[in-house]
Amino acid sequence: MKIYWVVALPLAVLAGGAQAQSSVTLYGVVDLGIDYANNVVNASNGQAVAGSGGKLFQMQSGVPLGSRWGLKGTEDLGGGLSAIFRLESGFDAANGAVGGGLAFSRNAYVGLQSTRYGTLTFGRQWDANVDLLEPFTLNGQYGGWYFAHPNDMDNLDNGFSVANAIKYVSPTIGGFTAEGHYSLGGHAGQFSTDSTWSAAVAYAGGAFSAGVGYLRVNDPLTAVSGYASGGSFTNAIFGDALARARSQNVLAVGASYVIGSFKLSANFSDTAFRSANGGGDVTFQNYELSGIYNVTSALLFGAGFTYTVGHDHASDTTPKYQQANVIAQYALSKRTSVYAMGVFQNASGDAPVAQIAGFNPSSTSHQVAARLGITHSF
């Protein structure tokens, strides 16, 4: 009898393990293109170099889609429950550099997924606004980085992911999906320092979709960095506000409607850098309207317009920005596409210069950028 149990127990364990289904997938995106931009100034130690500015030609990686590679996996634990993980690293396809100086700069998390109760994950992840509100922006569908609201002040182009995050995503019920995260700051005796949290809900039913979400980042300069000025880059739009802000708060709403081959999208975001200038807030509101038309299954055109108005409560100044975005994309196959895109931004009101996301500021109130590129996914 003792021999029977000694042999049978390991066999039972092995048999149970053999029944569990698991998989690991390697995936990625490589995007590379040639850019032109005008009136681009140089920067040193995060400050614009006076008197500089001119035409820029460059090779740039990861604009409409960030160049990345990753591993994702799942293991069936039975009863509708699975263990999941994702490790995803951004990289520069032009020179091979690792994105953000991190082994996995975009995502690195593990968790449990239930068909009945939703998904709970732990690690470096996107916030709820990125997941549920970014799809209502043109940059979240096509165009990416350069189409973002000025310098991605609301993170609706996923300019940063959040570390140390606990995240929950609900199952979809009646077309509704809810999501939230809390990121631990990790400072003894200072619970809120460097912490972040977000909550969002979205609805998708037939041709209509909509969502609303909120993101708060405490101490944004150290918690997530974002578009912080430094080295050869300067953020002329909100760089100083970001550096001094106690928190970065973002409220976002969006909606879309599909009519045949045409998709109309609209979104609004309100970003507040709290106590960013002499104890006063610096705020920005973005209003965006965009459309995408699928001419054929392979060819599409997209266009959008964003109006941004800011307010520095301490100085009572009101910078304004108007930005037009256009893109044409042709799919050579299911995995490979070529595209051409263009951006024009005009600064007005109390905004001294224009600045398209991804470039240094203009030396004037106008800036134009154009790009020809190719994207391949695997």
Side-chain angles (χ1 to χ4, degrees), residues 115-342:
T115 56
R116 183 176 180 182
Y117 299 108
T119 303
L120 184 64
T121 48
F122 306 85
R124 188 177 192 90
Q125 306 173 70
W126 303 122
D127 64 73
N129 277 6
V130 168
D131 290 344
L132 299 186
L133 275 301
E134 185 183 45
F136 299 112
T137 66
L138 184 59
N139 65 261
Q141 301 174 76
Y142 298 94
W145 201 4
Y146 298 166
F147 287 3
H149 301 158
N151 278 344
D152 197 24
M153 62 181 64
D154 47 22
N155 200 39
L156 290 182
D157 188 48
N158 54 277
F160 59 80
S161 53
V162 289
N164 310 312
I166 304 166
K167 180 176 174 179
Y168 172 74
V169 181
S170 76
T172 299
I173 302 173
F176 287 92
T177 303
E179 181 176 321
H181 98 273
Y182 182 81
S183 174
L184 302 169
H187 295 273
Q190 299 176 334
F191 187 77
S192 66
T193 301
D194 289 341
S195 66
T196 74
W197 65 268
S198 67
V201 61
Y203 170 80
F208 177 73
S209 299
V212 58
Y214 187 84
L215 166 68
R216 178 183 171 104
V217 180
N218 290 328
D219 312 294
L221 183 65
T222 53
V224 296
S225 295
Y227 273 68
S229 299
S232 60
F233 172 75
T234 184
N235 182 342
I237 296 177
F238 61 90
D240 290 343
L242 173 66
R244 295 189 293 256
R246 175 63 184 90
S247 69
Q248 178 180 356
N249 301 354
V250 181
L251 170 67
V253 296
S256 66
Y257 192 80
V258 178
I259 308 171
S261 298
F262 180 73
K263 181 179 182 181
L264 179 67
S265 299
N267 68 82
F268 164 80
S269 71
D270 182 287
T271 300
F273 295 94
R274 301 296 187 195
S275 303
N277 187 9
D281 297 345
V282 177
T283 61
F284 294 90
Q285 290 79 45
N286 294 282
Y287 306 83
E288 181 186 0
L289 183 67
S290 66
I292 297 170
Y293 180 64
N294 290 279
V295 182
T296 68
S297 59
L299 177 64
L300 68 84
F301 292 103
F305 179 79
T306 298
Y307 174 70
T308 303
V309 57
H311 186 203
D312 186 327
H313 292 253
S315 62
D316 198 28
T317 52
T318 305
K320 299 177 181 179
Y321 306 89
Q322 302 85 35
Q323 182 168 313
N325 307 308
V326 293
I327 186 169
Q329 180 170 300
Y330 184 78
L332 300 173
S333 69
K334 290 183 178 180
R335 296 185 176 184
T336 304
S337 297
V338 292
Y339 59 88
M341 55 191 291

